[in-house]
Amino acid sequence: MTHKGSCFCGAVEIAVSGDPVDMGYCHCQSCRSYSGAPFVAFTIWPSDNVAVTKGAELIGGYNKVGTSDRKYCTQCGGHMFIDHPKLGVVDVRAAILPTVDFEPKAHLSYAEAVFAVSDDLPKFVDFPAEIGGSGKLVDAAD
Ligand SMILES: [Zn+2]
Ligand SMILES: [Zn+2]
């Protein structure tokens, strides 16, 4: 199964194949200030499963902390994906993959949340331990 996505203007296109290894929401301050949204929806794929199929020359990047290489279309500013080379995965914005059945599994960095979400998904203080976080969940009473 291949899913296609494009930036806001359509000049850059990507294709992802197989199944995502994770999906969910991130509430961290970096995601919020970069996206301008109260939290973001992500889909995580093995790096080899993500290909730029059109407009690669238009992709710009910004890497603030070394671990997250943010990619966007320089023509429209639309976000495309965030490369995480140390983890061997690529985070593709859920919103640009309309044919992926989005099934969020958790909220990440919920300790930084500014927008409370009422659902039954686990809410991690930061990240799961397998990707370098504490693995702790916020108080269930929240
Ligand atoms: Zn664009
Ligand atoms: Zn984040």
Side-chain angles (χ1 to χ4, degrees):
M1 181 89 190
T2 297
H3 301 277
K4 293 182 176 167
S6 67
C7 65
F8 185 58
C9 75
V12 179
E13 292 179 0
I14 64 169
V16 300
S17 57
D19 295 311
V21 295
D22 200 6
M23 294 189 267
Y25 303 104
C26 188
H27 297 257
C28 82
Q29 200 273 335
S30 291
C31 284
R32 288 188 283 107
S33 67
Y34 180 61
S35 68
F39 56 94
V40 301
F42 63 81
T43 67
I44 305 284
W45 307 78
S47 300
D48 291 344
N49 294 37
V50 181
V52 176
T53 53
K54 183 182 149 195
E57 71 282 0
L58 292 172
I59 294 179
Y62 186 71
N63 192 331
K64 186 176 183 181
V65 295
T67 51
S68 300
D69 204 4
R70 297 165 193 274
K71 303 293 188 184
Y72 58 91
C73 171
T74 55
Q75 190 163 285
C76 69
H79 298 178
M80 298 299 296
F81 54 88
I82 303 172
D83 197 5
H84 296 293
K86 287 177 184 165
L87 295 171
V89 297
V90 173
D91 166 352
V92 181
R93 296 297 198 204
I96 68 163
L97 294 172
T99 63
V100 170
D101 193 11
F102 186 64
E103 294 175 350
K105 299 201 169 45
H107 293 273
L108 305 185
S109 295
Y110 200 76
E112 298 177 43
V114 296
F115 185 93
V117 179
S118 300
D119 64 19
D120 295 327
L121 296 175
K123 296 181 169 91
F124 285 91
V125 169
D126 43 34
F127 301 109
E130 53 269 35
I131 56 169
S134 70
K136 289 183 183 151
L137 298 176
V138 296
D139 191 328
D142 293 344

